[in-house]
Amino acid sequence: MEQILSQEEIDALMSGLSEGEIEFPKEVEAAVEQKIEVQAFDFIKYTKGKKENLPALQFIYDRFSKSLRSALSLFIEKDVELEQSPIQYIEYRDFIKTLPLPTNMNIIATENLKGFFIVIFDAKLIFSVLETVFGSSNVSAPKIEGREFTKIEIGVIKKMVGIVSVEMEKAWTPVYEIKCKYSRSEMNPNYITMVSPEEIVSLCEFSVEIGDITSWIKVCIPYGILETIKGYLISTPSREDMDMREKWLNKLRKRTSDVPLEIKAILGKRKMSLEEFLKVTEDNIIMVDRCVDDQVDVLINDKIKFKGKLGILKGTKAVMIEEAVN
């Protein structure tokens, strides 16, 4: 038996409901009259907060914490204990609310990654390192004042940023090679406008112990930057993968070295018309645009790569390379 209404029956039913010829069931009327409370749902905020786990990033920070501990211990010539906390993904405005004022935020540009990191040092860590570097035998709780850092203190901070940059490059190498370069420092988080307040950032905190002083280092990376290389970060590189990659790179270098290249040294050039060229005969002298002592262009596959001087080596005409051309 057919249970589906025809189009004519549907039209007749709708007409009857709208004109009042057909009454609504009481259950339907009660549901319509009942006031239902609703809550607005922010799809954009939900999408931004729903971030994919990046196992390789945890692998990078594990390597970073071990190498940074050794590097800091060598720098201040004291034992440093470093402990890593789990990675968090939070909005940038929520992150900066947790920072004390003044604070030390250092922007490190990453050339290969086309972005930047923000490395934040606890003020207690900075003054503890200063106390140790400048000869104090005992590290005590420093007195932190609401003032700007002096030139000497900024110099030590830049040295610490340099150490962090070097160790960060090493930690990233198995996953994705990056180059870190110090950009600038800020004491107020509101002065860093490259990250919008609602943007999600990856935050990793490292607890640092020097003597009896406990402080921290925080590394903040906008999630949008990590998304550009998400393919490298969704799986943790294994030792076998790293060995295989190294073997592949060595083989590629060797095969590349065997590629034949055509090398030319352009001794000089002269432009002439076809009429002039047709008049050239034996024993004619053609003047070129270079003197005998001028540099000559050395071309590799028709592209200028070097400049050099003409000469003779063991009775053979040769060109001595003097500079490379970028």
Side-chain angles (χ1 to χ4, degrees):
M1 181 177 178
E2 287 287 342
Q3 299 294 327
I4 300 175
L5 298 177
S6 65
Q7 186 61 46
E8 293 180 358
E9 292 172 328
I10 293 173
D11 293 339
L13 179 61
M14 295 301 295
S15 176
L17 290 171
S18 61
E19 295 176 2
E21 296 177 2
I22 302 176
E23 295 182 356
F24 280 101
K26 292 183 179 180
E27 294 83 358
V28 175
E29 289 182 352
V32 171
E33 292 176 358
Q34 184 181 4
K35 294 183 179 179
I36 302 174
E37 294 184 1
V38 297
Q39 186 176 1
F41 185 81
D42 192 342
F43 284 95
I44 296 177
K45 185 175 180 180
Y46 176 79
T47 305
K48 287 184 178 179
K50 196 74 174 176
K51 295 303 177 186
E52 189 173 354
N53 188 30
L54 304 173
L57 191 60
Q58 184 66 52
F59 168 81
I60 290 168
Y61 284 137
D62 287 341
R63 287 170 51 89
F64 174 69
S65 62
K66 294 174 184 176
S67 61
L68 183 61
R69 180 180 59 186
S70 301
L72 287 177
S73 298
L74 288 172
F75 175 54
I76 65 174
E77 298 182 351
K78 278 186 177 293
D79 289 335
V80 176
E81 294 298 327
L82 207 70
E83 185 176 346
Q84 176 197 344
S85 300
I87 299 173
Q88 302 178 56
Y89 296 97
I90 61 175
E91 287 190 3
Y92 182 67
R93 59 185 161 201
D94 293 334
F95 162 58
I96 60 177
K97 287 178 184 177
T98 64
L99 297 176
L101 288 175
T103 191
N104 176 245
M105 304 182 72
N106 303 280
I107 300 173
I108 300 176
T110 54
E111 296 177 4
N112 298 28
L113 194 53
K114 295 182 180 179
F116 59 92
F117 299 161
I118 302 176
V119 177
I120 307 97
F121 294 130
D122 183 12
K124 286 193 294 183
L125 173 63
I126 295 171
F127 290 111
S128 297
V129 170
L130 281 164
E131 203 171 81
T132 305
V133 168
F134 289 104
S136 176
S137 57
N138 296 317
V139 178
S140 58
K143 183 180 179 181
I144 302 172
E145 301 174 354
R147 60 171 177 81
E148 294 186 359
F149 296 105
T150 65
K151 289 184 178 180
I152 294 176
E153 291 166 349
I154 291 173
V156 174
I157 290 171
K158 287 184 178 180
K159 180 65 176 178
M160 292 172 61
V161 172
I163 293 172
V164 169
S165 298
V166 170
E167 302 308 323
M168 190 67 79
E169 288 179 2
K170 292 179 183 177
W172 274 78
T173 297
V175 178
Y176 188 86
E177 290 193 8
I178 64 171
K179 294 293 182 184
C180 297
K181 184 179 179 181
Y182 172 78
S183 178
R184 74 176 197 273
S185 297
E186 294 290 351
M187 295 184 65
N188 191 329
N190 296 320
Y191 294 159
I192 298 180
T193 57
M194 296 179 294
V195 188
S196 60
E198 66 276 5
E199 187 170 354
I200 300 297
V201 295
S202 165
L203 178 65
C204 189
E205 181 174 336
F206 302 88
S207 176
V208 184
E209 290 186 13
I210 304 175
D212 296 330
I213 305 301
T214 301
S215 54
W216 47 259
I217 298 173
K218 296 182 180 182
V219 179
C220 171
I221 309 176
Y223 191 85
I225 295 173
L226 297 175
E227 276 191 324
T228 61
I229 57 165
K230 190 167 66 175
Y232 293 89
L233 300 175
I234 56 177
S235 61
T236 305
S238 63
R239 174 59 59 182
E240 292 76 12
D241 293 337
M242 293 167 63
D243 292 342
M244 183 63 71
R245 184 183 298 181
E246 188 64 29
K247 289 179 181 178
W248 182 83
L249 287 174
N250 290 335
K251 190 173 182 180
L252 181 63
R253 292 190 190 101
K254 186 176 179 181
R255 293 292 297 273
T256 303
S257 300
D258 295 333
V259 174
L261 299 175
E262 183 183 31
I263 301 178
K264 298 178 183 177
I266 306 300
L267 308 184
K269 295 180 181 179
R270 167 67 187 276
K271 287 185 178 181
M272 60 175 60
S273 65
L274 179 58
E275 182 181 359
E276 290 177 317
F277 177 72
L278 293 174
K279 292 179 181 179
V280 174
T281 59
E282 188 177 350
D283 297 330
N284 283 152
I285 296 175
I286 300 176
M287 300 296 292
V288 294
D289 59 354
R290 281 186 173 89
C291 298
V292 67
D293 293 329
D294 290 345
Q295 284 186 326
V296 297
D297 295 332
V298 179
L299 283 65
I300 298 179
N301 287 355
D302 295 326
K303 291 185 179 180
I304 300 175
K305 293 295 182 182
F306 303 99
K307 289 185 178 293
K309 285 287 185 69
L310 293 175
I312 296 177
L313 179 64
K314 296 180 181 180
T316 304
K317 294 179 181 179
V319 176
M320 182 176 69
I321 303 298
E322 291 188 323
E323 62 178 292
V325 177
N326 294 326

